């Protein structure tokens, strides 16, 4: 399903991008790109990778700033109060913006956010250290079945994409693992490399960043990831698990319709750049294109699916 | 590869220029509270896209090491760590500056920073691959014990009453849990407030707790901020003498700093605190630590600059950032298409070694530039008339706090915490234990929750907490640090020597009931009770265990303080005298500015603040000349800093109805 959307959207985006260039003198000053996390995380790195391409294509600086706190909630709860002249955008993440307001009062609702474009996702994956006794997913499952509750698996936070994947997979496979929450993917990866935990619910990006220090047991995509042709998908092993974390941009609600479309086109143009795609894919990201016109219906579907999954998992009541 | 060719590559004029520019810019940025090394490096990232990888690394490494050193200036001159790494520098640096040795303190900080930086970089050059395994050897439980070791410093920082210190530490730990929980699924202690949702930012809390009380007492009296006899220059010979006598301290602190820098979950602040604690424990007399001992500055500054080289070890060898600025540098390298990891040292070795040589050169350049900038900083703080000093510093606390994460809520929290800090420290509850709690709280909580979960899965919780060799080592050191002063006193007493004070500060005196302490203790107990009430609603057991334990601790310690105060045991210094109305006016003015910031805009609120604070800080008779000069200087400070932050550092300053 995901790849389907991506192909269709990519074609539309390319067309739209062609129309957008040169039509208006926008942006006409540097753009403030707010990342609702701290510097150095995956959202920051994604933005940094977009930065030079934006400058090259649209002639203005994309200035990254940070509004860290509450796992992104601080930034998102303040988004609609920011300047609506079209020169302020903010990174958004899924499932964060769905699960956070569903779980607790975090100062914003999913539907308050004017999301514009979803440009990539990082597929869930089980990561182990290179010298781990788990060579395959079967080894992992065997250990988990022999030692109920004894297999420690790390992930970022609770009620997060990683946590959701853990609960869902445990249910699908009929196992019980011990979920150890960490602050940020970097901290979990360190614990994985140090053997503090037996495995990690991470993303393909972890595999890309750590190279042969780690091994992926399975990836939660429809088809195998181009960077890891030897790693099976959960699906082909018989587990209906597809998911990950999505990234996109949003603007304050006061930004007019016209500029929202322009932003969608600009991001599409960057995403369509072959050099950019190559860099992103080398980093383990899976490219996607959900432009403004299709985004609303798409997000509604995602929201429903995430909420259902979180309810099934018992993360949401 | 390690040899001459990479060294020569680092010596190109362009690289040297980058190293020089980086160190100077970093020092200035680091000196401004709120602007951290992480931010300094992040601002540079876009510039590096078009550079040679090695040059980009040299520039970022230089600005990073400069910023860590620059943090010492405000720590020494204003009692406010410019970056969290300089927390331990305030303990002795500010007392030294107060008694007129600010120039010596700054020169010592420079020497120690250069020494520590060189040691850290030398380890990076020679032993990076083997040392990187330290990053992996530390698991959750080791971090938990490391945080406990850091917290054991509270006993030393309590200024006379350990129970007051412990209560303050517990308060700090609770403050660290406010907001959306990092690793569990609850929102804690926000009471429905949006302002507190993102938690109390640690750097904002540092600025509030350390700097606002200084400002409050600064306006109260016409006395000079720092005592100065006659200017003595750099006092370089004296500083070298002190450093040579403290050679063991310098080496030990640099090694501690390197190792803590390698640990991805710790950082410069923890390194400084651990090194300080060890220096204090092994001190053999002279000026007491905490009262202006040069050894305290040497320890903290050598350790925090050693974390720079240390932090690069896991960053470059494993692709795991050792410190937050390293995470940003790693991101910049990824954009350039460079993958760190074991292969980098082999295939990309030339880049790595050119960078390391560059870092060593930048650290050496810090010696002349640091001495010169430090001299200038000291002279300015001493020479600036009080009204302008008060207005300028208050303004900087606001803009610096805002810039941490572009949040006006943080500014409000900073001012309120500052006022609270002033009140409690007046009654013998020192602010440093609170700060320690805030800094070490997340490390302790996360380590504890993770270790408990893993221990449960292993069905052996005691072995998890007490059975691992590194943990046993840290626990032993903690006990040793806590018990050694007691043992030393006992030994001295047996030898018939005069009583050595176990803990610095005013001794307990019996007297009438200390109602002020009774009141503060009662409020702290109430905070504990409210926390317990709040935790009852948490859905996740992982978010409960830590605040509940700490809240019970707070109630117990505050209860003991209350009991002692009721018995009339009084152990606090006489609070500084001076005008209460001026103090109140300052707090009201800064609070009003914080509230007005999002409404009227940054420049308008700042100009108003400066206009109000100059008369509040003015103790002399106004003349037409001073009036004009002060007003103009105020406007210039506001506009210059606005330009620096808004244009140069790309901080999106709030725009309101005015400007």
């Amino acid at each position: 399903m995901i790849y389907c959307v991506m192909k269709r959207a990519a074609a539309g985006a390319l067309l739209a991008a062609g129309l957008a260039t040169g039509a208006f003198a926008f942006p006409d000053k540097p753009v403030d790109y707010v990342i609702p996390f701290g510097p150095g995380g995956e959202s920051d790195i994604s933005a940094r990778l977009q930065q030079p391409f934006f400058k090259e294509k649209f002639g203005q600086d994309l200035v990254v700033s940070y509004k860290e706190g509450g796992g992104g909630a601080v930034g998102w709860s303040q988004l609609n109060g920011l300047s609506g002249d079209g020169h302020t955008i903010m990174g958004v993440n899924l499932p964060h913006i769905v699960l956070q307001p569903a779980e607790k009062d975090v100062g914003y609702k999913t539907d308050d956010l004017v999301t514009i474009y979803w440009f990539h996702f990082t597929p869930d994956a089980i990561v182990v250290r290179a010298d781990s006794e788990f060579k395959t997913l079967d080894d992992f499952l065997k250990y988990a079945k022999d030692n109920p509750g004894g297999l420690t698996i790390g992930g970022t936070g609770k009620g997060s994409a990683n946590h959701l994947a853990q609960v869902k997979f445990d249910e699908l496979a009929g196992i019980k693992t011990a979920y150890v929450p960490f602050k940020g993917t970097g901290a979990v990866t360190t614990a994985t490399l140090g053997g503090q935990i037996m495995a990690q619910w991470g993303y393909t990006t972890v595999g890309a960043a750590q190279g042969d220090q780690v091994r992926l047991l399975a990836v939660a995509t429809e088809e195998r990831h181009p960077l890891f042709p030897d790693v099976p998908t959960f699906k082909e092993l018989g587990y209906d698990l597809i998911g990950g974390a999505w990234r996109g941009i949003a603007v304050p609600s006061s930004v007019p319709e016209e500029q929202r479309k322009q932003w969608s086109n600009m991001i599409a143009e960057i995403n369509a750049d072959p050099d950019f795609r190559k860099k992103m894919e080398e980093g383990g990201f899976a490219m996607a294109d959900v432009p403004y016109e299709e985004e609303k219906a798409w997000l509604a579907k995602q929201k429903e699916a995430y909420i259902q999954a979180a309810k099934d998992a018992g993360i949401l009541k | 590869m390690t040899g001459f060719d990479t060294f020569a590559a680092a010596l190109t004029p362009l690289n040297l220029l980058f190293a020089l520019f980086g160190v100077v810019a970093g020092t200035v940025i680091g000196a401004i509270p709120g602007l951290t090394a992480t931010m300094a490096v992040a601002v540079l990232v876009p510039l590096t896209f078009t550079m040679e990888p090695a040059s980009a690394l040299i520039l970022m490494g230089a600005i990073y090491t400069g910023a860590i050193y620059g943090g010492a200036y405000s720590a020494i001159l204003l009692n406010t760590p410019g970056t969290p790494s300089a927390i331990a520098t305030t303990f002795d640096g500010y007392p030294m500056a107060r008694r007129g040795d600010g120039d010596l303190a700054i020169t010592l900080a420079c020497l120690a920073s250069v020494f520590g930086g060189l040691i850290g970089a030398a380890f990076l050059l020679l032993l990076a691959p083997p040392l990187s395994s330290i990053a992996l050897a530390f698991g959750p439980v080791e971090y938990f014990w490391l945080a406990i070791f850091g917290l054991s410093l509270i006993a030393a920082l309590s200024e006379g009453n350990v129970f007051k210190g412990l209560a303050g530490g517990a308060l700090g730990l609770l403050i660290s849990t406010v907001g959306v929980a990092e690793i569990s699924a609850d929102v804690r202690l926000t009471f429905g407030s949006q302002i507190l949702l993102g938690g109390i930012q640690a750097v904002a809390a540092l600025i509030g707790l350390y700097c606002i009380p200084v400002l409050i007492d600064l306006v109260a009296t016409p006395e000079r901020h720092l005592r100065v006899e006659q200017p003595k220059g750099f006092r370089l010979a004296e500083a070298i003498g002190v450093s040579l006598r403290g050679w063991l301290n310098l080496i030990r602190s640099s090694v501690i700093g390197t190792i803590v820098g390698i640990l991805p979950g710790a950082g410069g602040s923890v390194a400084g605190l651990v090194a300080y604690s060890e220096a204090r424990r092994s001190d053999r007399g002279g000026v007491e630590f905490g009262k202006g001992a040069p050894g305290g500055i040497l320890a903290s500054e050598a350790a925090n600059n050693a974390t720079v080289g240390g932090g690069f070890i896991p960053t470059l060898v494993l692709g795991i950032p050792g410190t937050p600025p390293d995470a940003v540098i790693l991101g910049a390298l990824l954009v350039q298409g460079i993958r760190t990891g074991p292969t980098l040292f082999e295939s990309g070795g030339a880049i790595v070694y050119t960078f390391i040589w560059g870092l060593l050169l930048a650290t050496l350049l810090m010696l002349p530039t640091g001495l010169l900038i430090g001299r200038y900083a000291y002279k300015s703080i001493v020479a600036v008339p009080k009204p302008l000093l008060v207005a300028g510093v208050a303004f900087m606390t606001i803009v610096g706090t805002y810039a941490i994460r572009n949040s006006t809520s943080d500014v409000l929290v900073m001012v309120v915490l500052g006022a609270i800090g002033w009140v409690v420290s007046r009654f013998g509850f020192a602010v440093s234990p609170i700060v320690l709690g805030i800094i070490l709280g997340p490390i302790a909580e996360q380590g504890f929750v993770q270790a408990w979960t893993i221990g449960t899965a292993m069905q052996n919780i005691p072995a998890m907490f007490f059975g691992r060799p590194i943990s046993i080592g840290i626990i032993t050191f903690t006990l040793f640090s806590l018990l050694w002063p007691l043992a030393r006193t006992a030994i001295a007493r047996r030898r018939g020597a005069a009583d050595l004070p176990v803990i610095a500060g005013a001794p307990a005196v019996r007297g009438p009931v200390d109602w002020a302490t009774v009141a503060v203790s009662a409020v702290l107990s109430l905070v504990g009770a409210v926390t317990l009430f709040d935790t009852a609603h948490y859905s996740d057991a992982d978010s409960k265990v830590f605040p509940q334990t700490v809240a019970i601790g707070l109630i117990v310690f505050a209860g003991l303080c209350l009991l002692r105060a009721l018995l009339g045991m009084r152990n606090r210094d006489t609070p500084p005298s001076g005008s209460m109305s001026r103090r109140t006016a300052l707090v009201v003015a800064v609070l009003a500015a914080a509230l007005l910031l999002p409404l009227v805009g940054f420049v308008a609120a700042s100009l108003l603040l400066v206009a109000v604070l100059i008369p509040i800080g003015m103790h002399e008779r106004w003349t037409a000349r001073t009036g004009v000069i002060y007003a103009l200087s105020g406007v210039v400070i506001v506009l210059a800093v606005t330009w620096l932050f808004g244009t140069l550092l790309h901080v999106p300053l709030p725009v309101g109805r005015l400007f």
Side-chain angles (χ1 to χ4, degrees), chain A residues 67-68 106 158 181 196 279, chain B residues 335 405-406 450 468 542:
Chain A
K67 214 181 243 305
E68 191 182 0
V106 285
K158 286 241 179 112
Q196 313 293 344
K279 271 199 167 159
Chain B
V335 175
R405 53 179 182 185
N406 307 324
Q450 289 156 358
R468 294 167 49 118
D542 284 357

Side-chain angles (χ1 to χ4, degrees), chain A residues 104-175:
Chain A
K104 54 212 168 194
D105 176 17
V106 285
Y108 73 94
K109 296 263 170 277
T110 311
D111 300 335
D112 295 345
L113 303 179
V114 180
T115 46
I116 297 291
Y117 199 102
W118 297 92
F119 45 69
H120 71 235
F121 83 115
T122 47
D124 292 324
I126 295 183
V127 184
V128 296
R129 195 160 73 162
D131 63 0
S132 162
E133 56 176 303
F134 305 146
K135 305 285 178 215
T136 64
L137 191 67
D138 274 343
D139 300 338
F140 174 92
L141 289 170
K142 187 174 179 313
Y143 186 92
K145 281 187 178 139
D146 293 348
N147 304 277
L151 196 162
T152 51
I153 187 158
T156 56
K158 286 241 179 112
S160 57
N162 292 156
H163 189 204
L164 203 60
Q166 182 255 346
V167 179
K168 205 172 164 189
F169 182 66
D170 275 13
E171 197 187 288
L172 286 172
I175 54 172

Side-chain angles (χ1 to χ4, degrees), chain B residues 298-314:
Chain B
L298 292 182
S300 168
E301 284 302 308
N304 65 25
N305 270 88
T307 61
V308 178
F312 275 113
I313 291 175

Side-chain angles (χ1 to χ4, degrees), chain B residues 564-577:
Chain B
R564 285 170 60 96
L566 279 177
L567 289 173
M569 290 162 83
R570 186 181 284 264
N571 42 3
R572 51 186 166 98
D573 298 322
T574 358
S577 58

Side-chain angles (χ1 to χ4, degrees), chain A residues 32 34 39-41 44-45 48-49 51-52 61-71 73-74 77-78 100 103-108 129 148-152 156-159 178-184 186 189-191 193-197 208-210 212-213 279 282-284 317, chain B residues 38 42-43 45-46 49 135-140 142 180-187 192 194 197-199 201 264 317-320 324 327-328 330-331 334-337 339-343 402 404-407 409 446 449-451 453-454 456-459 464 468 539-540 542 650 652:
Chain A
D32 185 20
V34 186
D44 179 34
I45 291 170
R48 295 300 188 182
L49 285 160
Q51 222 173 10
D61 281 315
L62 190 63
V63 182
V64 176
S65 65
Y66 309 95
K67 214 181 243 305
E68 191 182 0
V74 169
S77 64
Q78 293 174 15
Q100 284 179 358
E103 280 168 22
K104 54 212 168 194
D105 176 17
V106 285
Y108 73 94
R129 195 160 73 162
L151 196 162
T152 51
T156 56
K158 286 241 179 112
Y179 183 75
V180 189
F182 286 83
K183 187 195 168 185
T189 308
T190 309
L193 291 177
Q196 313 293 344
I197 44 179
Q210 302 304 327
D212 49 14
Q213 299 177 82
K279 271 199 167 159
E282 277 172 2
K317 275 158 207 104
Chain B
T38 313
V43 166
V45 168
F49 291 158
L136 303 178
F138 259 64
E142 282 77 23
V180 179
E182 295 275 13
I183 64 159
S184 51
D186 284 286
V187 178
Q194 289 290 309
L197 196 63
Q201 217 285 340
V317 178
L318 302 170
I320 293 170
V328 181
L330 200 59
L334 274 176
V335 175
Q336 293 215 340
R339 299 238 166 263
T340 52
T343 48
Y402 173 79
I404 302 163
R405 53 179 182 185
N406 307 324
S407 160
S409 311
Q446 289 170 23
V449 167
Q450 289 156 358
T453 311
I454 298 171
T456 310
M458 288 166 34
Q459 298 177 340
M464 186 71 210
R468 294 167 49 118
S539 61
D540 184 353
D542 284 357
H650 299 302

Side-chain angles (χ1 to χ4, degrees), chain B residues 147-306:
Chain B
I148 298 297
F149 177 68
L151 287 170
S152 72
L153 241 189
I154 286 176
L157 297 172
S158 304
E159 294 177 12
N161 185 336
V162 181
F163 297 120
K164 284 183 174 178
L166 290 172
L171 178 69
L173 291 172
L174 287 183
I175 288 175
S176 80
T177 69
V178 172
V180 179
E182 295 275 13
I183 64 159
S184 51
D186 284 286
V187 178
R188 301 186 289 189
L189 295 171
T190 63
F191 311 104
S193 150
Q194 289 290 309
I195 293 176
L196 296 174
L197 196 63
I200 292 178
Q201 217 285 340
V203 180
L206 279 186
I207 297 176
L209 286 170
Y210 279 124
C211 198
I212 297 291
V214 171
L215 284 173
I216 293 176
D217 285 328
L218 204 54
V219 292
T221 63
E223 280 159 39
R224 294 191 71 94
H225 170 50
L226 303 176
R227 190 198 305 170
V228 192
E229 277 109 42
Q230 57 263 58
K232 296 178 198 150
F234 292 113
R235 298 174 75 175
L236 190 56
E238 201 180 340
I240 292 174
V242 171
S243 304
L244 286 177
R245 281 195 297 281
W247 63 276
L248 188 61
N249 180 4
L250 276 174
I251 291 174
R252 183 183 49 227
S253 303
S254 305
V255 172
I256 290 175
T258 309
I259 292 173
V260 176
I262 295 172
L263 301 177
S269 52
V270 177
L273 290 170
V274 171
Y276 182 87
S277 178
E278 280 302 293
R280 182 182 166 278
R281 184 181 56 75
S282 52
D283 180 47
R284 291 170 201 202
V287 185
E288 247 177 84
F289 270 61
K291 300 276 164 194
I297 297 178
L298 292 182
S300 168
E301 284 302 308
N304 65 25
N305 270 88

Side-chain angles (χ1 to χ4, degrees), chain B residues 3 16 87 130 258 568 616 638:
Chain B
L16 284 177
I87 291 174
T258 309
I616 295 177
V638 170

